[in-house]
Amino acid sequence: GENVEQHPSTLSVQEGDSAVIKCTYSDSASNYFPWYKQELGKGPQLIIDIRSNVGEKKDQRIAVTLNKTAKHFSLHITETQPEDSAVYFCASKAAGNKLTFGGGTRVLVKP
Amino acid sequence: EADIYQTPRYLVIGTGKKITLECSQTMGHDKMYWYQQDPGMELHLIHYSYGVNSTEKGDLSSESTVSRIRTEHFPLTLESARPSHTSQYLCASSVSGDGYTFGSGTRLTVV
């Protein structure tokens, strides 16, 4: 089955700096790649997603890039703010299958 | 605002008790999922359903059971709670199997 590796497991950045989280997947048939943000005491919330026919997608300060050849995708957060502190999960999915989640990255933005 | 609700939010219960964690969604989603989240953050799929009267076991073996008698309701039951069942339980739903909507979770402590 699909395997998703996520790195780093923890990430500490200074407010205003950029944060990058990387994920690799194993199933070349995967075609959907969402990112979730989980704040303390809440469930994960979808923040951005990308499909395999697109190389990059942006939404304000967050962007996701996909390299299908290398089977990896990344989340980029620019101009980080304290409210960006949370746990982030990547996931991948092949058609008809369930999402497979990465292990999570705990992001701390220091003021 | 997510339209998926989990109750209770917190539950402390004694060993051997039977418990049911409730999950309801008002979005008419056919697909629903239960995840167990350990303190290390990882999300482990324990049950899923693709529609009424359809339930399947997930990737992580669990002593819990689920039922899906109505589209909007997907309760999880533990017949005899044990300390090893202490965890955070997250319910999610999806219309297409892509973007999941998560509830806020139930934090279960078995003493």
Side-chain angles (χ1 to χ4, degrees):
Chain A
E2 171 77 295
N3 184 50
V4 178
E5 299 281 342
Q6 183 171 346
H7 298 281
S9 57
T10 59
L11 180 60
S12 182
V13 296
Q14 207 66 40
E15 182 177 356
D17 288 350
S18 295
V20 180
I21 304 169
K22 298 181 180 181
C23 290
T24 59
Y25 61 97
S26 60
D27 189 348
S28 56
S30 292
N31 58 10
Y32 175 67
F33 307 91
W35 286 88
Y36 289 82
K37 176 184 180 182
Q38 185 176 22
E39 297 176 325
L40 198 61
K42 298 183 179 180
Q45 183 177 13
L46 179 68
I47 55 171
I48 195 168
D49 57 12
I50 192 169
R51 299 192 183 275
S52 57
N53 59 345
V54 176
E56 182 176 358
K57 185 175 178 181
K58 277 187 175 181
D59 183 2
Q60 298 182 348
R61 295 186 297 108
I62 61 173
V64 57
T65 59
L66 172 65
N67 183 327
K68 286 172 55 181
T69 304
K71 289 192 282 189
H72 67 69
F73 56 112
S74 301
L75 178 72
H76 305 253
I77 307 173
T78 59
E79 300 172 24
T80 53
Q81 300 168 6
E83 53 263 38
D84 295 327
S85 295
V87 176
Y88 292 81
F89 292 95
C90 65
S92 73
K93 176 180 172 294
N97 290 342
K98 302 174 294 299
L99 286 180
T100 299
F101 287 89
T105 297
R106 193 178 303 277
V107 174
L108 175 64
V109 179
K110 296 181 288 186
Chain B
E1 190 73 29
D3 294 317
I4 181 165
Y5 308 98
Q6 290 187 243
T7 57
R9 286 296 312 276
Y10 303 93
L11 179 62
V12 180
I13 200 161
T15 297
K17 299 292 186 182
K18 178 180 178 179
I19 58 170
T20 296
L21 307 184
E22 301 289 348
C23 176
S24 294
Q25 50 95 6
T26 58
M27 298 170 285
H29 290 174
D30 283 330
K31 296 176 171 62
M32 296 189 76
Y33 312 85
W34 274 104
Y35 284 84
Q36 187 172 338
Q37 184 170 33
D38 58 29
M41 302 185 297
E42 279 200 56
L43 296 164
H44 301 285
L45 180 67
I46 51 175
H47 298 283
Y48 64 98
S49 167
Y50 284 169
V52 171
N53 294 325
S54 155
T55 61
E56 301 286 345
K57 289 188 180 296
D59 306 320
L60 179 69
S61 175
S62 173
E63 293 166 346
S64 59
T65 59
V66 292
S67 63
R68 190 86 184 276
I69 299 172
R70 303 196 315 268
T71 297
E72 62 271 23
H73 195 213
F74 191 40
L76 181 144
T77 298
L78 277 165
E79 290 293 332
S80 180
R82 295 208 299 265
S84 60
H85 296 140
T86 294
S87 190
Q88 163 99 321
Y89 292 84
L90 289 162
C91 180
S93 72
S94 172
V95 61
S96 64
D98 287 349
Y100 291 5
T101 300
F102 282 88
S104 295
T106 293
R107 184 164 295 281
L108 172 66
T109 303
V110 183
V111 297

PDB file of all heavy atoms in Angstrom, chain A residues 45-70:
ATOM      1  N   GLN A  45      -7.625  20.420   9.871  1.00  0.00           N
ATOM      2  CA  GLN A  45      -8.430  21.198   8.931  1.00  0.00           C
ATOM      3  C   GLN A  45      -7.686  21.314   7.612  1.00  0.00           C
ATOM      4  O   GLN A  45      -6.497  21.664   7.592  1.00  0.00           O
ATOM      5  CB  GLN A  45      -8.716  22.581   9.509  1.00  0.00           C
ATOM      6  CG  GLN A  45      -9.604  23.446   8.637  1.00  0.00           C
ATOM      7  CD  GLN A  45      -9.925  24.779   9.289  1.00  0.00           C
ATOM      8  OE1 GLN A  45      -9.307  25.169  10.268  1.00  0.00           O
ATOM      9  NE2 GLN A  45     -10.905  25.479   8.754  1.00  0.00           N
ATOM     10  N   LEU A  46      -8.373  21.046   6.521  1.00  0.00           N
ATOM     11  CA  LEU A  46      -7.774  21.149   5.195  1.00  0.00           C
ATOM     12  C   LEU A  46      -7.395  22.602   4.909  1.00  0.00           C
ATOM     13  O   LEU A  46      -8.218  23.513   5.042  1.00  0.00           O
ATOM     14  CB  LEU A  46      -8.766  20.663   4.141  1.00  0.00           C
ATOM     15  CG  LEU A  46      -8.322  20.727   2.688  1.00  0.00           C
ATOM     16  CD1 LEU A  46      -7.194  19.741   2.424  1.00  0.00           C
ATOM     17  CD2 LEU A  46      -9.493  20.447   1.750  1.00  0.00           C
ATOM     18  N   ILE A  47      -6.128  22.832   4.543  1.00  0.00           N
ATOM     19  CA  ILE A  47      -5.691  24.203   4.260  1.00  0.00           C
ATOM     20  C   ILE A  47      -5.358  24.413   2.787  1.00  0.00           C
ATOM     21  O   ILE A  47      -5.515  25.529   2.274  1.00  0.00           O
ATOM     22  CB  ILE A  47      -4.485  24.614   5.136  1.00  0.00           C
ATOM     23  CG1 ILE A  47      -3.315  23.631   4.985  1.00  0.00           C
ATOM     24  CG2 ILE A  47      -4.909  24.759   6.589  1.00  0.00           C
ATOM     25  CD1 ILE A  47      -2.031  24.107   5.666  1.00  0.00           C
ATOM     26  N   ILE A  48      -4.905  23.398   2.101  1.00  0.00           N
ATOM     27  CA  ILE A  48      -4.614  23.510   0.690  1.00  0.00           C
ATOM     28  C   ILE A  48      -4.461  22.104   0.129  1.00  0.00           C
ATOM     29  O   ILE A  48      -4.104  21.178   0.865  1.00  0.00           O
ATOM     30  CB  ILE A  48      -3.340  24.357   0.445  1.00  0.00           C
ATOM     31  CG1 ILE A  48      -3.230  24.783  -1.023  1.00  0.00           C
ATOM     32  CG2 ILE A  48      -2.088  23.617   0.910  1.00  0.00           C
ATOM     33  CD1 ILE A  48      -2.156  25.848  -1.273  1.00  0.00           C
ATOM     34  N   ASP A  49      -4.755  21.941  -1.143  1.00  0.00           N
ATOM     35  CA  ASP A  49      -4.550  20.644  -1.781  1.00  0.00           C
ATOM     36  C   ASP A  49      -4.108  20.849  -3.221  1.00  0.00           C
ATOM     37  O   ASP A  49      -4.240  21.940  -3.785  1.00  0.00           O
ATOM     38  CB  ASP A  49      -5.795  19.762  -1.698  1.00  0.00           C
ATOM     39  CG  ASP A  49      -7.040  20.419  -2.314  1.00  0.00           C
ATOM     40  OD1 ASP A  49      -6.916  21.452  -3.005  1.00  0.00           O
ATOM     41  OD2 ASP A  49      -8.148  19.903  -2.074  1.00  0.00           O
ATOM     42  N   ILE A  50      -3.539  19.799  -3.802  1.00  0.00           N
ATOM     43  CA  ILE A  50      -3.054  19.883  -5.171  1.00  0.00           C
ATOM     44  C   ILE A  50      -3.304  18.547  -5.846  1.00  0.00           C
ATOM     45  O   ILE A  50      -3.240  17.492  -5.198  1.00  0.00           O
ATOM     46  CB  ILE A  50      -1.556  20.274  -5.199  1.00  0.00           C
ATOM     47  CG1 ILE A  50      -1.116  20.648  -6.618  1.00  0.00           C
ATOM     48  CG2 ILE A  50      -0.685  19.167  -4.625  1.00  0.00           C
ATOM     49  CD1 ILE A  50       0.267  21.295  -6.660  1.00  0.00           C
ATOM     50  N   ARG A  51      -3.604  18.592  -7.119  1.00  0.00           N
ATOM     51  CA  ARG A  51      -3.802  17.367  -7.893  1.00  0.00           C
ATOM     52  C   ARG A  51      -2.619  17.153  -8.814  1.00  0.00           C
ATOM     53  O   ARG A  51      -1.842  18.077  -9.081  1.00  0.00           O
ATOM     54  CB  ARG A  51      -5.123  17.432  -8.662  1.00  0.00           C
ATOM     55  CG  ARG A  51      -6.310  17.566  -7.732  1.00  0.00           C
ATOM     56  CD  ARG A  51      -7.644  17.340  -8.396  1.00  0.00           C
ATOM     57  NE  ARG A  51      -8.711  17.556  -7.419  1.00  0.00           N
ATOM     58  CZ  ARG A  51      -9.147  16.619  -6.577  1.00  0.00           C
ATOM     59  NH1 ARG A  51      -8.630  15.411  -6.608  1.00  0.00           N
ATOM     60  NH2 ARG A  51     -10.101  16.887  -5.716  1.00  0.00           N
ATOM     61  N   SER A  52      -2.488  15.936  -9.318  1.00  0.00           N
ATOM     62  CA  SER A  52      -1.266  15.555 -10.015  1.00  0.00           C
ATOM     63  C   SER A  52      -1.078  16.249 -11.356  1.00  0.00           C
ATOM     64  O   SER A  52       0.002  16.195 -11.930  1.00  0.00           O
ATOM     65  CB  SER A  52      -1.225  14.040 -10.213  1.00  0.00           C
ATOM     66  OG  SER A  52      -2.363  13.601 -10.919  1.00  0.00           O
ATOM     67  N   ASN A  53      -2.103  16.921 -11.857  1.00  0.00           N
ATOM     68  CA  ASN A  53      -1.961  17.622 -13.131  1.00  0.00           C
ATOM     69  C   ASN A  53      -1.482  19.059 -12.953  1.00  0.00           C
ATOM     70  O   ASN A  53      -1.421  19.829 -13.920  1.00  0.00           O
ATOM     71  CB  ASN A  53      -3.287  17.602 -13.902  1.00  0.00           C
ATOM     72  CG  ASN A  53      -4.420  18.244 -13.124  1.00  0.00           C
ATOM     73  OD1 ASN A  53      -4.302  18.468 -11.921  1.00  0.00           O
ATOM     74  ND2 ASN A  53      -5.516  18.525 -13.801  1.00  0.00           N
ATOM     75  N   VAL A  54      -1.149  19.414 -11.704  1.00  0.00           N
ATOM     76  CA  VAL A  54      -0.699  20.768 -11.381  1.00  0.00           C
ATOM     77  C   VAL A  54       0.631  20.678 -10.645  1.00  0.00           C
ATOM     78  O   VAL A  54       0.817  19.804  -9.803  1.00  0.00           O
ATOM     79  CB  VAL A  54      -1.742  21.491 -10.501  1.00  0.00           C
ATOM     80  CG1 VAL A  54      -1.241  22.854 -10.070  1.00  0.00           C
ATOM     81  CG2 VAL A  54      -3.060  21.605 -11.237  1.00  0.00           C
ATOM     82  N   GLY A  55       1.574  21.579 -10.948  1.00  0.00           N
ATOM     83  CA  GLY A  55       2.876  21.540 -10.301  1.00  0.00           C
ATOM     84  C   GLY A  55       2.969  22.400  -9.055  1.00  0.00           C
ATOM     85  O   GLY A  55       3.788  22.132  -8.178  1.00  0.00           O
ATOM     86  N   GLU A  56       2.147  23.456  -9.005  1.00  0.00           N
ATOM     87  CA  GLU A  56       2.235  24.357  -7.872  1.00  0.00           C
ATOM     88  C   GLU A  56       0.880  25.029  -7.666  1.00  0.00           C
ATOM     89  O   GLU A  56       0.141  25.287  -8.619  1.00  0.00           O
ATOM     90  CB  GLU A  56       3.302  25.428  -8.114  1.00  0.00           C
ATOM     91  CG  GLU A  56       3.493  26.389  -6.961  1.00  0.00           C
ATOM     92  CD  GLU A  56       4.632  27.371  -7.188  1.00  0.00           C
ATOM     93  OE1 GLU A  56       5.299  27.279  -8.232  1.00  0.00           O
ATOM     94  OE2 GLU A  56       4.871  28.210  -6.302  1.00  0.00           O
ATOM     95  N   LYS A  57       0.582  25.314  -6.410  1.00  0.00           N
ATOM     96  CA  LYS A  57      -0.664  26.011  -6.089  1.00  0.00           C
ATOM     97  C   LYS A  57      -0.410  26.943  -4.911  1.00  0.00           C
ATOM     98  O   LYS A  57       0.296  26.560  -3.969  1.00  0.00           O
ATOM     99  CB  LYS A  57      -1.754  24.991  -5.741  1.00  0.00           C
ATOM    100  CG  LYS A  57      -3.130  25.579  -5.502  1.00  0.00           C
ATOM    101  CD  LYS A  57      -4.123  24.453  -5.286  1.00  0.00           C
ATOM    102  CE  LYS A  57      -5.524  24.975  -4.997  1.00  0.00           C
ATOM    103  NZ  LYS A  57      -6.474  23.848  -4.762  1.00  0.00           N
ATOM    104  N   LYS A  58      -0.967  28.163  -4.998  1.00  0.00           N
ATOM    105  CA  LYS A  58      -0.750  29.140  -3.929  1.00  0.00           C
ATOM    106  C   LYS A  58      -2.073  29.629  -3.363  1.00  0.00           C
ATOM    107  O   LYS A  58      -3.079  29.731  -4.084  1.00  0.00           O
ATOM    108  CB  LYS A  58       0.012  30.352  -4.482  1.00  0.00           C
ATOM    109  CG  LYS A  58       1.496  30.197  -4.566  1.00  0.00           C
ATOM    110  CD  LYS A  58       2.129  31.530  -4.968  1.00  0.00           C
ATOM    111  CE  LYS A  58       3.634  31.444  -4.938  1.00  0.00           C
ATOM    112  NZ  LYS A  58       4.262  32.725  -5.309  1.00  0.00           N
ATOM    113  N   ASP A  59      -2.050  29.948  -2.080  1.00  0.00           N
ATOM    114  CA  ASP A  59      -3.194  30.572  -1.444  1.00  0.00           C
ATOM    115  C   ASP A  59      -2.656  31.509  -0.367  1.00  0.00           C
ATOM    116  O   ASP A  59      -2.300  31.073   0.724  1.00  0.00           O
ATOM    117  CB  ASP A  59      -4.123  29.523  -0.826  1.00  0.00           C
ATOM    118  CG  ASP A  59      -5.375  30.137  -0.223  1.00  0.00           C
ATOM    119  OD1 ASP A  59      -5.551  31.363  -0.316  1.00  0.00           O
ATOM    120  OD2 ASP A  59      -6.185  29.382   0.351  1.00  0.00           O
ATOM    121  N   GLN A  60      -2.546  32.756  -0.703  1.00  0.00           N
ATOM    122  CA  GLN A  60      -2.003  33.783   0.186  1.00  0.00           C
ATOM    123  C   GLN A  60      -0.586  33.395   0.623  1.00  0.00           C
ATOM    124  O   GLN A  60       0.308  33.318  -0.212  1.00  0.00           O
ATOM    125  CB  GLN A  60      -2.960  34.001   1.359  1.00  0.00           C
ATOM    126  CG  GLN A  60      -4.328  34.495   0.913  1.00  0.00           C
ATOM    127  CD  GLN A  60      -5.276  34.772   2.046  1.00  0.00           C
ATOM    128  OE1 GLN A  60      -5.037  34.401   3.201  1.00  0.00           O
ATOM    129  NE2 GLN A  60      -6.374  35.438   1.760  1.00  0.00           N
ATOM    130  N   ARG A  61      -0.371  33.120   1.908  1.00  0.00           N
ATOM    131  CA  ARG A  61       0.993  32.859   2.385  1.00  0.00           C
ATOM    132  C   ARG A  61       1.401  31.389   2.291  1.00  0.00           C
ATOM    133  O   ARG A  61       2.524  31.037   2.652  1.00  0.00           O
ATOM    134  CB  ARG A  61       1.130  33.326   3.837  1.00  0.00           C
ATOM    135  CG  ARG A  61       0.985  34.829   4.027  1.00  0.00           C
ATOM    136  CD  ARG A  61       1.291  35.220   5.471  1.00  0.00           C
ATOM    137  NE  ARG A  61       0.345  34.631   6.413  1.00  0.00           N
ATOM    138  CZ  ARG A  61       0.648  33.644   7.232  1.00  0.00           C
ATOM    139  NH1 ARG A  61       1.850  33.094   7.224  1.00  0.00           N
ATOM    140  NH2 ARG A  61      -0.265  33.170   8.073  1.00  0.00           N
ATOM    141  N   ILE A  62       0.521  30.537   1.858  1.00  0.00           N
ATOM    142  CA  ILE A  62       0.884  29.126   1.746  1.00  0.00           C
ATOM    143  C   ILE A  62       0.902  28.679   0.288  1.00  0.00           C
ATOM    144  O   ILE A  62       0.138  29.192  -0.536  1.00  0.00           O
ATOM    145  CB  ILE A  62      -0.060  28.222   2.577  1.00  0.00           C
ATOM    146  CG1 ILE A  62      -1.507  28.337   2.096  1.00  0.00           C
ATOM    147  CG2 ILE A  62       0.031  28.537   4.057  1.00  0.00           C
ATOM    148  CD1 ILE A  62      -2.429  27.337   2.766  1.00  0.00           C
ATOM    149  N   ALA A  63       1.794  27.758   0.005  1.00  0.00           N
ATOM    150  CA  ALA A  63       1.908  27.214  -1.340  1.00  0.00           C
ATOM    151  C   ALA A  63       2.301  25.753  -1.233  1.00  0.00           C
ATOM    152  O   ALA A  63       2.945  25.332  -0.257  1.00  0.00           O
ATOM    153  CB  ALA A  63       2.956  27.979  -2.141  1.00  0.00           C
ATOM    154  N   VAL A  64       1.903  24.991  -2.222  1.00  0.00           N
ATOM    155  CA  VAL A  64       2.306  23.592  -2.278  1.00  0.00           C
ATOM    156  C   VAL A  64       2.908  23.331  -3.651  1.00  0.00           C
ATOM    157  O   VAL A  64       2.429  23.849  -4.665  1.00  0.00           O
ATOM    158  CB  VAL A  64       1.112  22.654  -1.998  1.00  0.00           C
ATOM    159  CG1 VAL A  64      -0.033  22.893  -2.961  1.00  0.00           C
ATOM    160  CG2 VAL A  64       1.525  21.209  -1.998  1.00  0.00           C
ATOM    161  N   THR A  65       3.995  22.579  -3.674  1.00  0.00           N
ATOM    162  CA  THR A  65       4.633  22.182  -4.923  1.00  0.00           C
ATOM    163  C   THR A  65       4.635  20.668  -5.020  1.00  0.00           C
ATOM    164  O   THR A  65       4.696  19.972  -4.000  1.00  0.00           O
ATOM    165  CB  THR A  65       6.067  22.712  -4.999  1.00  0.00           C
ATOM    166  OG1 THR A  65       6.813  22.198  -3.881  1.00  0.00           O
ATOM    167  CG2 THR A  65       6.094  24.232  -4.957  1.00  0.00           C
ATOM    168  N   LEU A  66       4.563  20.164  -6.237  1.00  0.00           N
ATOM    169  CA  LEU A  66       4.517  18.726  -6.477  1.00  0.00           C
ATOM    170  C   LEU A  66       5.518  18.349  -7.547  1.00  0.00           C
ATOM    171  O   LEU A  66       5.559  18.955  -8.620  1.00  0.00           O
ATOM    172  CB  LEU A  66       3.101  18.314  -6.919  1.00  0.00           C
ATOM    173  CG  LEU A  66       2.921  16.878  -7.404  1.00  0.00           C
ATOM    174  CD1 LEU A  66       3.163  15.883  -6.272  1.00  0.00           C
ATOM    175  CD2 LEU A  66       1.526  16.688  -7.997  1.00  0.00           C
ATOM    176  N   ASN A  67       6.329  17.349  -7.259  1.00  0.00           N
ATOM    177  CA  ASN A  67       7.258  16.796  -8.225  1.00  0.00           C
ATOM    178  C   ASN A  67       6.883  15.334  -8.421  1.00  0.00           C
ATOM    179  O   ASN A  67       7.245  14.472  -7.621  1.00  0.00           O
ATOM    180  CB  ASN A  67       8.707  16.934  -7.716  1.00  0.00           C
ATOM    181  CG  ASN A  67       9.719  16.438  -8.722  1.00  0.00           C
ATOM    182  OD1 ASN A  67       9.469  15.497  -9.490  1.00  0.00           O
ATOM    183  ND2 ASN A  67      10.880  17.064  -8.744  1.00  0.00           N
ATOM    184  N   LYS A  68       6.131  15.054  -9.471  1.00  0.00           N
ATOM    185  CA  LYS A  68       5.633  13.687  -9.699  1.00  0.00           C
ATOM    186  C   LYS A  68       6.754  12.719 -10.026  1.00  0.00           C
ATOM    187  O   LYS A  68       6.707  11.549  -9.643  1.00  0.00           O
ATOM    188  CB  LYS A  68       4.607  13.701 -10.831  1.00  0.00           C
ATOM    189  CG  LYS A  68       3.265  14.285 -10.459  1.00  0.00           C
ATOM    190  CD  LYS A  68       2.360  14.439 -11.668  1.00  0.00           C
ATOM    191  CE  LYS A  68       2.189  13.137 -12.431  1.00  0.00           C
ATOM    192  NZ  LYS A  68       1.320  13.332 -13.619  1.00  0.00           N
ATOM    193  N   THR A  69       7.752  13.187 -10.715  1.00  0.00           N
ATOM    194  CA  THR A  69       8.861  12.311 -11.099  1.00  0.00           C
ATOM    195  C   THR A  69       9.579  11.795  -9.858  1.00  0.00           C
ATOM    196  O   THR A  69       9.882  10.600  -9.739  1.00  0.00           O
ATOM    197  CB  THR A  69       9.850  13.052 -12.013  1.00  0.00           C
ATOM    198  OG1 THR A  69       9.138  13.546 -13.140  1.00  0.00           O
ATOM    199  CG2 THR A  69      10.971  12.131 -12.443  1.00  0.00           C
ATOM    200  N   ALA A  70       9.837  12.705  -8.930  1.00  0.00           N
ATOM    201  CA  ALA A  70      10.544  12.337  -7.705  1.00  0.00           C
ATOM    202  C   ALA A  70       9.599  11.823  -6.630  1.00  0.00           C
ATOM    203  O   ALA A  70      10.041  11.378  -5.572  1.00  0.00           O
ATOM    204  CB  ALA A  70      11.328  13.533  -7.181  1.00  0.00           C
TER     205      ALA A  70
END
